[in-house]
Amino acid sequence: MYNDYSITKTITPAEYMEMRKAVGWGLFPLEEAQAGLSNSYIWCIRDNGTGSPVGLGRVIWDKGYVMYIADIIVIPEYQGKGLGRVLMEQVMDFIHEQLKPGYRFMVSLCSAKGKEEFYKKFGFVVRPNEDVGPGMHQWFTSEEIEG
Ligand SMILES: CC(C)(COP(=O)(O)OP(=O)(O)OC[C@H]1O[C@@H](n2cnc3c(N)ncnc32)[C@H](O)[C@@H]1OP(=O)(O)O)[C@@H](O)C(=O)NCCC(=O)NCCS
């Protein structure tokens, strides 16, 4: 892994949008992407041959008990090689490192359809279950066109 790839703590907004595009996710303005990235913990796996990002992990943390895994992306040509696992291991190590004595964190994520088994490998449980209801979300989109 470490001869072929490096992990950096940054990714540009344009690179981030390219990665989202590569896995068919929605795009948004670079300014909005930059704001989100600036307020996130980032793990970007780069191919040492090209320098390009091929994997991304992103965590948002309120510095209290709430953490959210916002993006785990491996671009299609690089999937199935263990890079998703590397990203999740980095994220899980980070979470454990932040736990001070007596602290508790609730770490949430929205699994893409069919990726639940991937996240279960790292201890996440599917909702709803007998203890908790389903997760819920809503998208908000501006109708305004800039310029
Ligand atoms: C989900 C994703 C990050 C996995 O990355 P990857 O590099 O292909 O995964 P890895 O090769 O590291 O696989 C890690 C483990 O998860 C398993 N796994 C990966 N995808 C899986 C899936 N869809 N279902 C079940 N198991 C899966 C692998 O078999 C492997 O198991 P092992 O380590 O016990 O042998 C990648 O498919 C992806 O980016 N998909 C598009 C974006 C996406 O949907 N991200 C999740 C958003 S919530």
Side-chain angles (χ1 to χ4, degrees):
M1 149 84 194
Y2 290 106
N3 287 333
D4 295 336
Y5 304 101
S6 311
I7 300 180
T8 63
K9 293 294 177 74
T10 57
I11 184 169
T12 68
E15 288 173 331
Y16 175 47
M17 283 301 118
E18 279 303 312
M19 295 204 69
R20 292 184 63 96
K21 201 165 146 190
V23 294
W25 288 2
L27 305 181
F28 34 84
L30 294 180
E31 181 190 23
E32 186 179 3
Q34 177 64 70
L37 293 171
S38 305
N39 290 300
S40 303
Y41 297 87
I42 305 281
W43 294 264
C44 175
I45 300 181
R46 291 175 184 274
D47 183 320
N48 284 341
T50 62
S52 300
V54 297
L56 174 69
R58 184 161 81 96
V59 167
I60 299 164
W61 177 33
D62 72 347
K63 301 286 173 82
Y65 84 99
V66 179
M67 278 199 191
Y68 182 71
I69 300 179
D71 300 301
I72 298 289
I73 301 174
V74 175
I75 64 172
E77 306 88 296
Y78 288 80
Q79 288 175 9
K81 299 172 186 287
L83 298 183
R85 173 173 283 284
V86 168
L87 287 170
M88 283 303 293
E89 286 173 353
Q90 295 283 321
V91 167
M92 301 305 280
D93 285 352
F94 167 78
I95 294 167
H96 285 288
E97 283 161 18
Q98 311 314 313
L99 273 175
K100 294 181 186 166
Y103 274 38
R104 303 177 72 207
F105 294 155
M106 184 181 70
V107 185
S108 310
L109 60 87
C110 289
S111 175
K113 245 188 186 333
K115 307 299 183 196
E116 298 86 349
E117 296 301 318
F118 170 75
Y119 290 112
K120 279 187 192 173
K121 287 178 183 286
F122 302 95
F124 290 86
V125 296
V126 170
R127 305 177 65 146
N129 57 44
E130 61 184 27
D131 298 319
V132 289
M136 297 176 74
H137 75 265
Q138 180 179 180
W139 282 93
F140 292 81
T141 305
S142 163
E143 299 303 328
E144 286 174 37
I145 308 216
E146 213 174 279

